[in-house]
Amino acid sequence: MRVGVLTGGGDCPGLNAVIRAIVRKGVQEYDYDFIGFRDGWRGALEGETVPLSIPAVRGILPRGGTIIGSSRTNPLNAEQGVRRVRETLAKYEVDALVTIGGEDTLGVAATLSDTHGVPCVGVPKTIDNDLSATDYTFGFDTAVNIATEAIDRLHTTAESHMRVLVVEVMGRHAGWIALHSGLAGGANVILIPEQRFDIDQVCAWVTSRFRASYAPIVVVAEGAAPARGEMVLKDGSHDSFGHVRLSGVGEWLAKEIESRTGKEARTTVLGHVQRGGTPSAFDRWLATRFGLHAIEAVRDGDFGKMVALRGTDIVRVPIAEATSRLKTVDPALYAEVGVFFG
């Protein structure tokens, strides 16, 4: 059997650990042959491949990014996209395809598998942790650790100058990174997309912090929006899946806080630093287990499924179920951390 592997969407720490686990187990236990498609669905569309073998995956466990590249290419929007993907798989005699990605990459896999009969197995990847069928996605823990370390460092410079520091983190329409890193980093305000914020309340929390002779840290998710007004965007451009490109709310928030409170405010946008670097121990562990179970699903012919973490068990769920809705922060969970605001 020849198995294709691709990594789509934004890169994240742990992708190489999945690839390594798939290839190691597939070659050693099942004598499978592996081929990687370069840059996600673009490689499947254009037939650009790279061989994957045990020597090829040696030493990649601690490496961030992905050795086979990634992109936000959407084959369903490309001319004759489904036909071209099927022809590529036939050309390279690929019997099954392991797709490693988030909502968009796996959404394509669900359509190809359920509608067009392409044998796909999914692996959940996103720093946003917003796939509803799994307790955690790999990449999330590393992103939270990076954001937490940044917040820890910003506390000292904020207090040295007694200024407000606004930290903008990723997460699109889910506030998991903001919530976890903000709580772990001792932020005084955490703003998430699931709960529109009142700028007057934010300023009141900031003022309260200064009255206690401390400089406030405000953590805001890139998709957070004020109660009165629209989501703040740098520009109105969209990617190939139709998603608007986020970022800009941190800078807007800092200007509002400064003008309303009279306190100096600065912004730090963590951006792609959250996606980069070596994966955490947890993400290496989770990604490796996902890879091992994904190749088992291929062996069993259990296509149209995604491997998922439930408690401490790895289970299989329909890819379509995993991508049907986003996993967002429960209001009750957000309310728990409110005691630390201000």
Side-chain angles (χ1 to χ4, degrees):
M1 176 176 276
R2 172 169 286 182
V3 179
V5 181
L6 65 80
T7 54
D11 68 304
C12 89
L15 285 167
N16 288 324
V18 179
I19 297 169
R20 170 180 175 268
I22 290 170
V23 173
R24 284 285 298 270
K25 184 163 186 173
V27 171
Q28 291 175 193
E29 296 197 10
Y30 308 138
D31 198 28
Y32 289 168
D33 185 34
F34 289 90
I35 186 171
F37 289 100
R38 291 287 306 172
D39 302 334
W41 289 114
R42 186 189 70 78
L45 276 173
E46 300 177 6
E48 188 172 344
T49 65
V50 58
L52 292 175
S53 61
I54 288 181
V57 299
R58 283 203 181 101
I60 68 172
L61 177 64
R63 284 176 56 182
T66 165
I67 62 170
I68 56 178
S70 189
S71 73
R72 296 191 183 277
T73 301
N74 183 357
L76 302 182
N77 284 346
E79 185 176 356
Q80 297 293 313
V82 174
R83 177 184 61 80
R84 289 163 62 189
V85 169
R86 291 175 67 92
E87 288 178 352
T88 297
L89 298 179
K91 175 183 177 181
Y92 290 99
E93 300 179 328
V94 173
D95 301 297
L97 184 62
V98 179
T99 56
I100 311 167
E103 174 195 8
D104 297 323
T105 301
L106 294 178
V108 172
T111 298
L112 291 178
S113 180
D114 297 345
T115 305
H116 301 285
V118 177
C120 295
V121 169
V123 178
K125 169 247 43 162
T126 169
I127 66 169
D128 301 339
N129 196 40
D130 60 359
L131 288 173
S132 60
T134 184
D135 290 351
Y136 286 98
T137 57
F138 70 87
F140 170 68
D141 184 71
T142 303
V144 169
N145 287 340
I146 291 169
T148 301
E149 182 181 358
I151 296 167
D152 286 345
R153 291 176 180 273
L154 290 170
H155 272 292
T156 57
T157 184
E159 290 173 6
S160 295
H161 295 274
M162 289 304 288
R163 59 165 64 115
V164 185
L165 278 180
V166 178
V167 186
E168 182 183 301
V169 299
M170 286 181 164
R172 293 199 63 80
H173 304 298
W176 295 107
I177 295 176
L179 184 69
H180 282 240
S181 64
L183 182 61
N188 310 108
V189 182
I190 302 171
L191 306 176
I192 63 174
E194 294 87 343
Q195 301 280 330
R196 284 185 170 260
F197 61 86
D198 183 339
I199 187 63
D200 292 329
Q201 178 63 73
V202 172
C203 290
W205 283 326
V206 166
T207 302
S208 172
R209 182 70 173 175
F210 277 117
R211 282 201 298 267
S213 298
Y214 288 99
I217 299 288
V218 178
V219 174
V220 58
E222 60 186 355
R228 294 180 294 276
E230 300 298 321
M231 183 183 295
V232 181
L233 304 172
K234 272 190 174 179
D235 58 64
S237 60
H238 294 72
D239 64 20
S240 63
F241 287 92
H243 299 306
V244 67
R245 301 183 190 278
L246 300 179
S247 188
V249 66
E251 192 66 35
W252 176 87
L253 190 61
K255 290 178 181 177
E256 287 292 317
I257 291 172
E258 187 165 307
S259 66
R260 290 166 181 257
T261 67
K263 300 293 186 180
E264 183 182 10
R266 300 289 179 85
T267 306
T268 297
V269 181
L270 295 185
H272 286 78
V273 71
Q274 295 159 93
R275 317 191 76 99
T278 187
S280 67
F282 178 82
D283 279 340
R284 298 185 205 188
W285 173 86
L286 181 58
T288 297
R289 292 192 70 201
F290 277 160
L292 296 176
H293 283 263
I295 199 61
E296 285 184 2
V298 169
R299 178 204 59 187
D300 296 340
D302 197 6
F303 301 120
K305 298 292 181 63
M306 184 193 82
V307 292
L309 180 69
R310 297 280 177 84
T312 58
D313 296 327
I314 306 294
V315 300
R316 299 173 191 170
V317 298
I319 301 177
E321 175 189 324
T323 58
S324 62
R325 64 179 179 86
L326 290 180
K327 180 178 67 179
T328 54
V329 175
D330 187 290
L333 182 59
Y334 182 65
E336 283 183 4
V337 306
V339 66
F340 297 106
F341 294 177

